[in-house]
Amino acid sequence: MAIVDRIPEFTEVVGGQIVTTVLDKAFNWAQKCSLWPMTFGLACCAIEMMSTYVAHYDLDRFGVIPRATPRQADLMIVSGTVTYKMAKRVRLLYDQMPEPKYVIAMGACACTGGIFQKAYGVVNGVDKLIPVDVYLPGCPPRPEALIEGILALQRKIDKGTIRANPAFEHNQQRYPKLKWKSEEE
Ligand code: SF4
């Protein structure tokens, strides 16, 4: 099967010897088909995330291949309760990932604090620390729900343009710098 039959973003010309497209479409296609999540979990939702990585769900077919270091990952799946103790580590890992990077808040705890919302040590939503692209409700969301979240992120990437991509803006941060208590002292 020719590449143009598989990828509608590409147009075939000159008898199939040449394909054309626009830069945004080519870039988005490459980006959405090679999402590499960081292997990182915070609480019980991480068990569901690990189940999603097994052969039964075959995430490789979406180009999703977990990486063991933030420096090679472009997707952070925040799976579990974010405590204030872990908040600085979560932000540090996010900062170590190269642009363009994406975040899925997996489960009620990562989205809003969930059942621990009123606990003194729990951050009420990871979007207080880092920008979230997809919110995934549930306690915990099943592997099928996480796959749907990844597909939703792929659809979002597909609508993007490289002109608005922070990876191409020198020294640009799309989120505010947080001041930690220890830095203020
Ligand atoms: S949303 Fe539910 S399953 Fe997920 S971390 Fe919170 S309590 Fe655990």
Side-chain angles (χ1 to χ4, degrees):
M1 186 184 280
I3 189 171
V4 283
D5 298 325
R6 296 166 61 100
I7 308 163
E9 285 89 349
F10 289 78
T11 311
E12 185 178 332
V13 292
V14 199
Q17 300 298 310
I18 298 173
V19 292
T20 62
T21 187
V22 294
L23 192 56
D24 270 345
K25 285 186 176 174
F27 184 84
N28 292 345
W29 170 72
Q31 190 69 40
K32 76 174 183 183
C33 295
S34 61
L35 284 170
W36 289 1
M38 186 172 48
T39 43
F40 152 80
L42 290 173
C44 17
C45 271
I47 305 297
E48 291 295 319
M49 182 185 68
M50 285 183 256
S51 327
T52 319
Y53 289 146
V54 299
H56 179 73
Y57 293 102
D58 189 19
L59 276 186
D60 286 20
R61 66 196 152 129
F62 302 117
V64 176
I65 300 167
R67 304 298 297 182
T69 164
R71 303 198 191 278
Q72 294 171 357
D74 58 1
L75 171 61
M76 176 184 265
I77 301 173
V78 184
S79 51
T81 323
V82 185
T83 59
Y84 283 108
K85 185 178 175 185
M86 283 303 289
K88 193 172 182 178
R89 282 84 182 170
V90 171
R91 179 58 188 263
L92 177 67
L93 288 169
Y94 179 81
D95 285 344
Q96 287 176 337
M97 290 163 59
E99 292 279 7
K101 52 192 170 185
Y102 307 95
V103 176
I104 295 177
M106 179 183 180
C109 287
C111 292
T112 63
I115 55 173
F116 305 110
Q117 206 171 49
K118 294 196 173 149
Y120 66 90
V122 170
V123 180
N124 287 343
V126 73
D127 54 5
K128 306 272 190 300
L129 307 168
I130 53 178
V132 173
D133 296 284
V134 174
Y135 293 86
L136 208 55
C139 179
R142 282 186 49 83
E144 291 86 351
L146 179 55
I147 291 172
E148 178 52 37
I150 291 168
L151 295 179
L153 179 59
Q154 287 187 335
R155 289 193 290 272
K156 182 176 177 178
I157 293 171
D158 222 7
K159 291 182 190 146
T161 165
I162 58 169
R163 275 168 297 191
N165 195 315
F168 296 95
E169 294 176 32
H170 184 59
N171 276 341
Q172 287 292 315
Q173 284 196 314
R174 57 179 171 153
Y175 46 89
K177 182 157 173 31
L178 295 182
K179 259 221 166 262
W180 302 101
K181 204 157 189 292
S182 55
E183 291 171 0
E184 289 165 0
E185 288 160 358

